[in-house]
Amino acid sequence: MKAIEITQYGAPEVLKLTERAKPELKPGEVLIKVKASGVNRPDVLQRIGQYPVPPGASDLPGLEVAGEIVEGSLDGADNRWGLKIGSRVCALVQGGGYAEYCAAPLAQCLPVPEGLSDVEAASLPETFFTVWSNVFDRAHLGNTEAGEKETLLVQGGTSGIGVTAIQLGVALGHRVFATAGSDDKARACEALGAERGINYKTEDFVAVTKELTKDRGVDVVLDMVGGDYLPREVQALAFDGRIAIIALLGGSKATLDMGALLRRRLTVTGSTLRPRSVAFKAAIAQQLHEKVWPLFAAGKIRPVIYQTFPAEQADKAHALMETSTHVGKIVLTW
C-alpha cells in the first residue's frame, strides 16, 4: 500500500510518500480501505518529535480515517451497529491513518452519518471524541443548579476542535463564546453558532466574557493553549467552574491562584486521548452514536472542511496547519 511516513523529525518536507505492507490485524480490529484521512495538530507534533508514538501503534501519522471495511471479524459485542464488509465507516486510530489501508479497533469505528462524504466523515473522529470526552465527560457541561443551560468558552474557535466544540455546545442548548486570532475568524465562530467571537489579539476574553455573563463568568473553558492563559481563565470562571486542558500551545508552565480555586470551588483538569484504552474510546463512541450522530441527520451540526489535499501533498497540508489560517478541518484524500 501507499503511505506517508515521517522520514526524520523536522519541517513538513520530511513527510514522504512510500510503500508499506498492509497492516496485520490484531484481535478485535478491522482493515479499512481509506478514502480520506484527517489532519490534526498531534500529527504535526509527532512530525517534529514532540508527540511520542504509543507502544504498539503504527509509526505512520494519522489519527482518523474514513473509508470502507474490507477485512476483519465482525462478530461479537464490539459490532454494535451491524457493520459488515463494505460498510462505510469513520474511525479513531492510534496512528497509521496516512495510508491507503489502516487497521482500526472495531469498537472505535462509527458508521458514516447519512449524507456525508468520505472527506467529511474523515474530519469527525479525532475532534468529536476529544470534545465529547473533555467538555461533556470530564468538565460536565450541562445544567446549572437553577436548571439553566451552562456557558462554554472555547479557546481557538476556528481550529478543528474549536468548530466542533462550538457546534456541539450550541446544538445541545448552551451559550458558547469563542476566541480567535482575527476579526474575520471571530465572525466565523459566530457563523457556526457562537454567541460572541472574541479577537484575542485586540480584546480581553476575561473582560468580554464577564460582561456577557453579567459578571458571573463561564462554567467551562476548553483550553488548547495553557501557559499564561490558565490564570486568566481562572479569572473568567464562575463559581464551580471547570477548565479542561487538551493542548499546551502556549507552554506547559503556569502560575495559579490556589486560593481562588478553593474559594470558588474550581476544577482544572486535563487529558490526552491517544494513549487511552480501546474500552475507554469505545464508551465515547457509544455516546457519540447515541447523542451526537442524530444531530447530523437533524442538520444541527455539520463538518467544516477548510481544504483537502491529495495524500502525496501531506507536506502542504501540514504547512497550512502551521499557519493557523484555516477555519475547520484539513483532510488528505486517497
Side-chain angles (χ1 to χ4, degrees):
M1 68 176 184
K2 294 179 180 178
I4 302 297
E5 67 179 1
I6 300 170
T7 55
Q8 63 184 42
Y9 295 140
E13 292 73 27
V14 304
L15 296 171
K16 299 294 184 182
L17 186 67
T18 188
E19 292 280 338
R20 288 281 188 98
K22 291 180 184 178
E24 293 185 6
L25 298 182
K26 301 172 185 176
E29 290 185 338
V30 293
L31 187 66
I32 298 172
K33 184 176 182 181
V34 178
K35 302 296 183 65
S37 311
V39 177
N40 293 281
R41 188 72 61 173
D43 304 342
V44 173
L45 295 177
Q46 180 178 334
R47 193 201 75 226
I48 62 177
Q50 294 184 6
Y51 200 166
V53 176
S58 171
D59 66 300
L60 298 174
L63 301 175
E64 59 184 350
V65 298
E68 65 179 54
I69 296 174
V70 294
E71 187 181 328
S73 175
L74 296 168
D75 300 327
D78 285 343
N79 193 359
R80 290 164 288 181
W81 303 295
L83 298 174
K84 304 174 182 178
I85 300 297
S87 289
R88 295 178 64 229
V89 294
C90 56
L92 181 73
V93 294
Q94 274 198 319
Y98 288 16
E100 288 184 307
Y101 291 88
C102 182
L106 179 59
Q108 293 171 205
C109 296
L110 283 157
V112 173
E114 186 175 351
L116 265 58
S117 68
D118 292 316
V119 165
E120 291 172 322
S123 77
L124 303 181
E126 171 68 10
T127 57
F128 277 85
F129 274 75
T130 299
V131 170
W132 190 268
S133 173
N134 286 277
V135 174
F136 296 95
D137 282 351
R138 294 186 69 83
H140 303 292
L141 184 68
N143 296 333
T144 65
E145 290 184 359
E148 299 172 347
K149 293 291 186 179
E150 291 193 319
T151 53
L152 169 66
L153 172 63
V154 179
Q155 303 285 21
T158 54
S159 66
I161 292 286
V163 300
T164 298
I166 290 170
Q167 291 190 87
L168 270 181
V170 172
L172 295 175
H174 302 285
R175 296 180 71 191
V176 179
F177 315 125
T179 63
S182 71
D183 288 342
D184 286 346
K185 282 190 166 187
R187 302 294 81 77
C189 292
E190 292 168 356
L192 289 167
E195 182 176 324
R196 177 73 149 78
I198 304 164
N199 182 347
Y200 63 78
K201 293 182 178 178
T202 59
E203 300 179 283
D204 178 0
F205 69 79
V206 178
V208 173
T209 53
K210 284 282 193 177
E211 179 183 359
L212 291 168
T213 59
K214 298 181 180 178
D215 207 38
R216 177 180 178 275
V218 298
D219 297 292
V220 174
V221 178
L222 179 60
D223 178 18
M224 294 169 256
V225 184
D228 60 7
Y229 264 48
L230 193 57
R232 296 169 61 203
E233 289 165 348
V234 167
Q235 295 176 31
L237 284 179
F239 273 72
D240 297 303
R242 292 86 70 196
I243 298 172
I245 304 169
I246 60 170
L248 302 170
L249 297 176
S252 61
K253 305 294 184 183
T255 300
L256 280 182
D257 179 355
M258 303 299 288
L261 267 66
L262 294 173
R263 291 190 303 272
R264 294 162 53 210
R265 305 182 299 275
L266 307 180
T267 300
V268 179
T269 184
S271 72
T272 56
L273 183 61
R274 189 176 188 180
R276 298 302 294 267
S277 68
V278 172
F280 178 84
K281 295 170 186 174
I284 301 174
Q286 181 71 45
Q287 293 182 73
L288 290 175
H289 190 263
E290 176 185 340
K291 299 175 181 178
V292 176
W293 258 221
L295 299 175
F296 286 107
K300 293 185 178 181
I301 57 176
R302 60 182 175 84
V304 180
I305 308 299
Y306 183 76
Q307 192 168 343
T308 62
F309 292 86
E312 61 268 23
Q313 295 179 15
D315 58 332
K316 294 182 180 180
H318 275 224
L320 172 59
M321 174 158 281
E322 290 182 324
T323 69
S324 294
T325 57
H326 57 291
V327 177
K329 293 297 294 277
I330 302 167
V331 178
L332 305 178
T333 58
W334 293 92

